[in-house]
Every structure is written in C-alpha cells, then in structure tokens.
Amino acid sequence: MPLKTTFVKFSVQNQEITNQFIRAIEVSKGFKVVSKGENHQPDLLIIELDKDSETHLDKLNFFLDKTEDTHIFIVSEKSDPEILIKALRIGIKEFFPFPLQPKAIQDALTRFKERQAKIEQKKQGIPGKIFSIVGSKGGVGTTTIAVNLATTIASKQKKPSIGLLDMNIIFGEIPIFLDMSPKHHWGDITKNIERLDAFFLSNILSEHPTGIHILSSPRYLDGQPSPTPPIMETLLELMKKKYDYIIIDLGQSMNDTALKILKMSELVNIVAIQSLPCLSNTNRLIKSMIEFGFVERENINIVLNRYFKKGVIPLDSVEKGIGEKVTWVIPNDYSTTMSAINSGKPLHDVSPRSKIVKSFDDYVEKFLPDSRKKEKKGWLF
Ligand SMILES: Nc1ncnc2c1ncn2[C@@H]1O[C@H](COP(=O)(O)OP(=O)(O)O)[C@@H](O)[C@H]1O
Ligand SMILES: [Mg+2]
C-alpha cells in the first residue's frame, strides 16, 4: 500500500532547529514541509515549547482534544521530568531536549511513519472473505445453507457485516427464503458497471432485519448484460472492502463467471446428499475444481445435507464414494427447513433448539472461528 504524504508544519523560533529537522525530513521518505503561508492541515506539528511550558502544554492538550489527525513533536530547552510526564500524558508523540541529536530526529520520523502505516491499515480494514456454496445437484439445500450460514454468522457478530449474493438467474430464491422484496438485483450493476462504486452498491443492496445485506439475482431475462468474470471481480473486490463475509449461493452454475467466483473464494462448500448421482457429481466437481486450478483442496469443504443415519448410503460409504472426508453433516429436518422457507425466516427463528440449528452453530464455531470478530470495517459512505 503506498504511504500517504505526511505534511509537516513548524512552530519553532530557532532557525537552526528547523533546519536540523528539514535535513532529516529530506532524507526520509514521504514527508513534505508546509510553508507558513500555506493553508494545509498538517499531519505533524513540530513545536518549540514556550518558557511557560505548563500553560503551553495545556493549550496543546486543548488542541489535541479537538484534532484527531494532527500529531505533535516537541522541542524544548527544558526537559524536567514533570514536563516530560505531562507531555506524554496529553499525547505528545516525541519530545526532543536540547541539544538535538540528528539520529534521534531520524528515528522519531521513522517511528512516526510506522505508526501512520498501521493506522492507515486499520482504516482500510482486513478484506472480507468469500464463502461460496455450490450444489452438486438441484434441490440439495444450497440456498437453505447459504441463507442460514449468513444468518448464523450474523447472529454471532455484534454488528453483522455480511453480504449475501444470489447467483441463480431467474431461479434466485434468497428473497423468498428471507421474506424480502428487494428493489434491485445485480442486473442493475451489470447494466451500470461504469457507475459501480461504494455508494452505488449500497443503494443496490437490501438490508434484512438480521443485519445481512442481500444482493439478489434478476428474476427475468430482460436484457441486462451478464455478469462477466471482470464485472464479478470488480463487484466482489468492492464487497470485500465493505463486508467481513460474502456468502454466495452459486446454485449449480459452472460458467466462466462462477469459476471466477470459485477462484476468488476463501472457502467453497460443495453440498451433497446421500444419493448416488449426487455423490458422483460431487466427485467430478471436486476433481474439476482442483485439477483445473480453480480451488485448492484445502479450501473445499464437503457438506452432507439432509443426513439421516439409516440412509441407504451410510456416511463412510459416502466418503469412500467421494474419495474425501465430509466436513459438515447437516441432519435431515424437512419440517423445520420447510416451515423456515414458507415463513421466510432463518432456521434459528423457527426452531432455535433444533439439531439442524445446532449444526449451523457448530460449523460456524468450528470452521469459521474468526466469524465472532466484532470489529466492523468503516464504510466509505
Ligand atoms: N437439512 C435438510 N433436511 C431436510 N430438508 C431439507 C434440508 N435442507 C434443505 N431441505 C429441503 O430441500 C428443499 C430444497 O432446498 P433448497 O435450499 O431450495 O435447495 P437448492 O437451493 O439446492 O435447490 C427444500 O424443500 C428444503 O426444505
Ligand atoms: Mg436454490
């Protein structure tokens, strides 16, 4: 990340001191001295302490309370412990007693830059993670899992920071699962890709009462351009800046755009059930994803949905059939999943004590431990 220029201003009587700082600044990267007449808010103020140091420090305290982004270095003839302690207490970053040491100035400037870089990094936030859900067949529970994974993570966050994206054109059902009628869908983005920025995106997304933000899919083929891989990349990069997690219901699409999404995903959940065609599909899906380099094996989780112990194909045979271990087993619970869908509510709201809800909770705790992260990124608008 390129570092911001630090604007430095002086309030120093002694020209030799100013010159010493300027010499150090000239050999340090990323600083620019603001001249007296220039009206530019400084990031760093270098101030010579008045003879009445107590009063001067009180004034600086008042100033620092009001400005978050300006930092102060003090140069001072006096350096009694009381003055030093007071200076530290009010948040003075560096204190230089006379005579000035060029190395001390240089080190202080380096420390300042390092601190600034850290603050800048925090402001930018850690990019969000993309979790894709892929069905190995229609009707295996892909949407149920995408929706309830999102709402389960949301239930663990103080301020949910989750985007839920539906990639099923015409067949997108996320709004039904959550009883919503979004005004927009991602077709509005593909139509206006040149307008896509954080503000535009925030108008397209719809917020659910759980705090998750939904980006639904077009319900009709009414001429909007398809989401090409570059469009998807732009959209997801933007969403990663806003959200901690982006959950994507990919359905069964395996076109170029879906492959791009897989490539950008931190985790791909392939959903299977205890049926032969499904296991055979899962097998081929995993092989294709890995062999063609779309996903690394360690980024794939196999989800066995609608599991029941007495199923025709037991769990160990499922694993043998796929050739992989199942990561997440979701119990069969038709009545809870159906009543959740029909009432447009998350499973958690319909039957909080059910085994299926516990299964979602356990998965989030076990495999997505950092989803408890309470910190939310600053939104650009
Ligand atoms: N764990 C489960 N137990 C029982 N039925 C389930 C389970 N998960 C999903 N279903 C049911 O499967 C059907 C299809 O679910 P859905 O999430 O729409 O699948 P997909 O998105 O793969 O088409 C729904 O009727 C849903 O109630
Ligand atoms: Mg679906």
Side-chain angles (χ1 to χ4, degrees), residues 88-137:
L88 276 178
R89 224 175 252 152
I90 68 170
I92 299 298
K93 292 289 179 228
E94 302 280 349
F95 194 102
F96 301 89
F98 289 167
L100 292 189
Q101 307 294 329
K103 167 116 180 42
I105 300 177
Q106 201 74 60
D107 290 349
L109 291 174
T110 308
R111 278 195 294 274
F112 183 83
K113 269 292 178 207
E114 284 168 357
R115 275 197 301 267
Q116 268 211 325
K118 274 191 196 144
I119 292 167
E120 206 51 39
Q121 223 167 15
K122 259 198 188 155
K123 275 190 191 162
Q124 300 268 331
I126 304 154
K129 294 192 170 99
I130 299 174
F131 298 158
S132 299
I133 325 291
V134 182
S136 56
K137 211 174 182 327

Side-chain angles (χ1 to χ4, degrees), residues 366-379:
K366 211 158 148 192
F367 288 97
L368 321 173
D370 60 344
S371 61
R372 278 188 167 282
K373 191 162 67 74
K374 304 286 189 288
E375 199 181 306
K376 190 172 187 279
K377 268 186 285 299
W379 191 209

Side-chain angles (χ1 to χ4, degrees), residues 326-339:
V326 168
T327 327
W328 180 15
V329 176
I330 304 178
N332 186 61
D333 186 345
Y334 189 70
S335 79
T336 306
T337 53
M338 262 332 255
S339 72

Side-chain angles (χ1 to χ4, degrees), residues 134-146 168 171 173 177 249 251-252 271 273 304-307 330-341 347 356 360:
V134 182
S136 56
K137 211 174 182 327
V140 294
T142 310
T143 305
T144 302
I145 292 170
N168 299 277
F171 305 109
E173 291 172 342
F177 275 59
D249 177 357
Q252 282 113 272
V271 186
I273 55 169
L304 186 63
N305 190 26
R306 296 208 222 155
Y307 172 75
I330 304 178
N332 186 61
D333 186 345
Y334 189 70
S335 79
T336 306
T337 53
M338 262 332 255
S339 72
I341 296 171
L347 292 169
I356 190 164
F360 275 85

